[in-house]
Amino acid sequence: MTEIALFGAIEIGLVYALVAIGVYLSFRILDFPDLTVDGSFPLGAAVCAVLLIAGVNPWLASLAAALAGAAAGLVTATLNVRFKILHLLASILTMIALFSVNLRVMGRPNVALLMQDTVLTPFYGLGIPDHIVRPLVVGVIVAVVVLLLARFLGSEFGLAMRATGVNARMARAQGVDTDAHVYAGIALSNALTGLAGALFAQTNGFADVTTGIGTIVVGLAAVIVGETVLPARALALALVGCVAGSILYRLAVQLALSADAIGLQASDLNLVTAVLVAVALILPRLKAKASRSTKAAR
Amino acid sequence: MIVVEDIHVTFGRGTPLEKHALRGVDLTIPEGEFVTVIGSNGAGKSTFLGSLAGDVLAEQGRISIDGTDVTRWDTPRRAGLVARVFQDPMAGSCATLTIEENMALAAARGRRRGLASALGGDRRKGFRDRIAALGLGLENRLHDRMGLLSGGQRQAVSLLMATLAGSKILLLDEHTAALDPATADFVLDLTRRIVRDNRLTTLMVTHSMRQALDYGDRTLMLHEGRVVLDVAGEERAGLDVPHLLALFARQRGGAEISDDSLLIG
Ligand SMILES: Nc1ncnc2c1ncn2[C@@H]1O[C@H](COP(=O)(O)OP(=O)(O)OP(=O)(O)O)[C@@H](O)[C@H]1O
Ligand SMILES: [Mg+2]
């Protein structure tokens, strides 16, 4: 793997670390399997790209992307909480709708960012090679997000959100408005995903409606890899695990793609990732089954 | 004080499985009274406690707590007034959160939850002192996940959690039913102590006639959604388990007759 490819993998891993953290929030903390991210990731990219082209400040454009993601999350949460549609189906509905919305936002399937200033622009002139600047800047943003989120999840509000996911009945008996916490959590999860989309557009120089496909699976893969390499109970560490998982996942993908012997193409990525996630989900069951049957054999 | 006026609860209204679970319960429970509740399976005991907690809303009648009409309040809103311990030790706490996190959740019951750290300041120390008073040695395990505790330990912590926010009403729905006899006795003694020390108005559902008479100041028997026995003071002191069993049997017998008469009628 070349140095450029290595830093490229770290960079994309860091961008998707925000998705992984969002997925961790919905799947793990709220126990709410939310596929909205397949739509909110390109939504963030689209909103950010269009605003950058309109001359908006890149930080404001990124913030707008996060807010757009949050709005998408609120739609899913409303369909589920208010109208009792199964969470998976609710999120699929939003995701499908977002495909059209994203086309509307951009006015065409993809938008290139050529001369526009991005959040990275001020850092390009500092004498550090571009391929290192990008992961550095994204890394700092991810670090800030992790710190803020760890602080948030340790607050009274955040604790109530975690209780909502673990034992909603108990949470309600403790005076927690569980519905409000589902709204807040799913909005936050998709805000992070929208922000990831915005960073993706700015680091790669384009937004494309099709970049969203498989976002959820990539996010899940990162969460699972993170949980495997860093099986932490402490919340802050689990968030760091999401980041580490996302980077490791990208490095593994990069290795696999650069090993000509395997003969993988970039377009095989979704298949490989889906298989990886499926295996990771099946393994614990097989292990449990194996230990049961060895016990029975004794 | 809890005032319950003629409440009715029906599950599955308009379906073939319609169940009129509470059929006009009328009660006044003065502040600080400890009431034990008995009745056969399906009598409506849990439904009654649920209607006090807000899990089920009465379709008719009125419930007021300390002079406030709470009939239409949902569970989270009533949580500031009412604490509960469930039958299933797993139900009353969050297994994957730590003991101190569970306590912090309970300590904020009925308050607005903001962005202040849930375990900041001298909270931890406060929790440590409170849990040390249980005498279970749990003060050194505050960072352990709740799921690691035994059922009895979880119920003990749940009882403690019920006192952290200063609410005055405690609802216990067979909270010792899942425990072995020795542990159940420990939790019952703890219950008595906590109720006394915090002067809680308490409703405790039990299937044990012995417990129903030994604990508390007043005993209710529910049958088919109604209060069929309500004894306190002298009258209750004069009751023993065989008496109560006889009353219980008579209620059930009486019910059978009325069922028959309904069929004939
Ligand atoms: N959510 C529900 N939906 C439909 N029917 C219900 C529901 N909850 C309770 N019931 C019915 O209402 C009646 C009263 O139930 P409840 O749980 O209050 O009885 P209980 O006195 O607590 O009994 P047990 O001693 O078995 O706990 C029962 O016939 C029960 O089947
Ligand atoms: Mg019951």
Side-chain angles (χ1 to χ4, degrees):
Chain A
M1 201 191 306
T2 64
E3 186 194 318
I4 302 257
L6 173 71
F7 280 100
I10 294 177
E11 171 193 323
I12 193 78
L14 283 167
V15 168
Y16 275 89
L18 294 177
V19 176
I21 292 172
V23 168
Y24 182 81
L25 263 180
S26 56
F27 273 65
R28 290 291 192 258
I29 291 192
L30 279 174
D31 197 17
F32 187 123
D34 176 26
L35 310 188
T36 314
V37 291
D38 271 32
S40 49
F41 184 85
L43 174 67
V47 166
C48 181
V50 166
L51 288 179
L52 287 181
I53 288 170
V56 173
N57 173 294
W59 291 104
L60 276 182
S62 305
L63 179 69
L67 290 179
L74 284 179
V75 171
T76 299
T78 306
L79 290 176
N80 171 251
V81 173
R82 181 86 202 280
F83 299 107
K84 310 287 175 222
I85 299 177
L86 180 71
H87 33 35
L88 267 177
L89 182 57
S91 66
I92 289 173
L93 291 175
T94 312
M95 172 183 107
I96 295 295
L98 281 174
F99 191 82
S100 304
V101 172
N102 294 341
L103 276 168
R104 280 279 174 184
V105 169
M106 295 198 290
R108 58 201 135 130
N110 52 61
V111 168
L113 296 172
L114 301 171
M115 309 312 290
Q116 286 76 18
D117 277 0
T118 67
V119 294
L120 299 153
T121 312
F123 304 97
Y124 280 142
L126 301 177
I128 310 170
D130 287 2
H131 67 276
I132 297 180
V133 167
R134 282 195 300 267
L136 266 182
V137 174
V138 178
V140 169
I141 294 174
V142 170
V144 170
V145 166
V146 167
L147 283 176
L148 288 178
L149 203 61
R151 174 83 181 66
F152 169 74
L153 290 171
S155 73
E156 291 196 330
F157 190 91
L159 186 58
M161 186 180 282
R162 289 156 67 200
T164 298
V166 180
N167 185 346
R169 179 164 185 231
M170 178 270 194
R172 290 174 64 76
Q174 299 299 343
V176 175
D177 181 349
T178 47
D179 289 351
H181 284 82
V182 171
Y183 282 113
I186 297 302
L188 183 56
S189 162
N190 284 284
L192 291 172
T193 309
L195 178 61
L199 292 177
F200 180 89
Q202 294 178 76
T203 49
N204 288 276
F206 70 91
D208 187 314
V209 284
T210 59
T211 50
I213 298 169
T215 305
I216 182 61
V217 185
V218 172
L220 258 184
V223 169
I224 291 170
V225 172
E227 285 170 343
T228 313
V229 296
L230 209 81
R233 295 260 178 255
L235 218 98
L237 280 182
L239 296 179
V240 173
C242 291
V243 178
S246 181
I247 295 174
L248 285 175
Y249 164 77
R250 287 295 167 177
L251 288 174
V253 165
Q254 190 56 47
L255 269 178
L257 289 180
S258 59
D260 292 333
I262 309 180
L264 275 180
Q265 298 176 359
S267 55
D268 297 330
L269 198 59
N270 282 351
L271 174 64
V272 174
T273 309
V275 170
L276 188 116
V277 170
V279 168
L281 293 175
I282 293 166
L283 268 184
R285 274 166 211 262
L286 287 185
K287 263 193 216 155
K289 215 171 163 185
S291 72
R292 262 204 308 278
S293 54
T294 46
K295 260 183 212 144
R298 265 186 225 137
Chain B
M1 183 162 83
I2 306 172
V3 179
V4 177
E5 290 168 49
D6 190 33
I7 57 167
H8 288 257
V9 170
T10 310
F11 293 110
R13 184 186 276 285
T15 69
L17 296 174
E18 180 171 305
K19 177 76 203 174
H20 198 169
L22 290 185
R23 308 171 175 227
V25 175
D26 256 307
L27 272 179
T28 298
I29 302 172
E31 199 164 327
E33 192 167 63
F34 186 159
V35 181
T36 57
V37 183
I38 54 175
S40 48
N41 292 115
K45 306 178 297 292
S46 297
T47 307
F48 178 51
L49 259 59
S51 72
L52 293 178
D55 285 0
V56 284
L57 293 183
E59 69 240 15
Q60 186 187 318
R62 234 177 65 97
I63 300 175
S64 72
I65 295 177
D66 292 336
T68 312
D69 186 338
V70 299
T71 316
R72 315 262 25 115
W73 290 19
D74 64 3
T75 307
R77 196 158 170 213
R78 287 194 211 183
L81 303 170
V82 177
R84 342 171 43 186
V85 179
F86 301 101
Q87 172 175 354
D88 176 3
M90 303 296 158
S93 50
C94 287
T96 55
L97 299 185
T98 63
I99 297 178
E100 58 184 6
E101 283 169 341
N102 273 283
M103 292 178 77
L105 262 176
R109 187 155 38 81
R111 272 201 292 111
R112 250 185 65 84
R113 290 165 205 264
L115 293 177
S117 168
L119 290 165
D122 47 10
R123 289 255 180 100
R124 267 208 177 93
K125 173 156 180 0
F127 291 159
R128 182 182 303 271
D129 294 344
R130 296 293 295 267
I131 209 167
L134 291 180
L136 291 171
L138 293 177
E139 57 276 17
N140 300 317
R141 298 182 61 187
L142 283 176
H143 299 296
D144 276 359
R145 292 184 310 133
M146 198 75 181
L148 296 175
L149 300 188
S150 71
Q153 288 170 330
R154 280 182 88 160
Q155 290 305 67
V157 175
S158 297
L159 273 171
L160 179 61
M161 281 161 56
T163 68
L164 292 179
S167 54
K168 285 294 166 203
I169 296 172
L170 178 61
L171 304 179
L172 307 167
D173 192 352
E174 299 187 52
H175 68 307
T176 61
L179 309 176
D180 66 66
T183 313
D185 282 343
F186 166 77
V187 171
L188 278 169
D189 280 337
L190 181 67
T191 306
R192 178 150 35 197
R193 203 166 84 211
I194 280 180
V195 167
R196 184 178 358 95
D197 293 351
N198 297 279
R199 282 199 279 287
L200 301 176
T201 310
T202 306
L203 277 101
M204 178 174 92
V205 174
T206 173
H207 270 289
S208 155
M209 307 277 163
R210 184 74 268 148
Q211 283 171 19
L213 292 177
D214 285 355
Y215 292 84
D217 320 305
R218 176 177 175 189
T219 298
L220 300 178
M221 188 190 292
L222 258 63
H223 188 70
E224 300 200 326
R226 292 193 183 85
V227 176
V228 293
L229 177 80
D230 182 352
V231 286
E234 292 280 297
E235 188 189 357
R236 181 172 183 264
L239 275 180
D240 56 11
V241 173
H243 272 122
L244 204 53
L245 277 172
L247 282 170
F248 196 67
R250 195 176 316 149
Q251 272 312 324
R252 307 194 68 169
E256 271 160 33
I257 292 163
S258 70
D259 276 349
D260 288 345
S261 61
L262 269 178
L263 281 175
I264 295 160

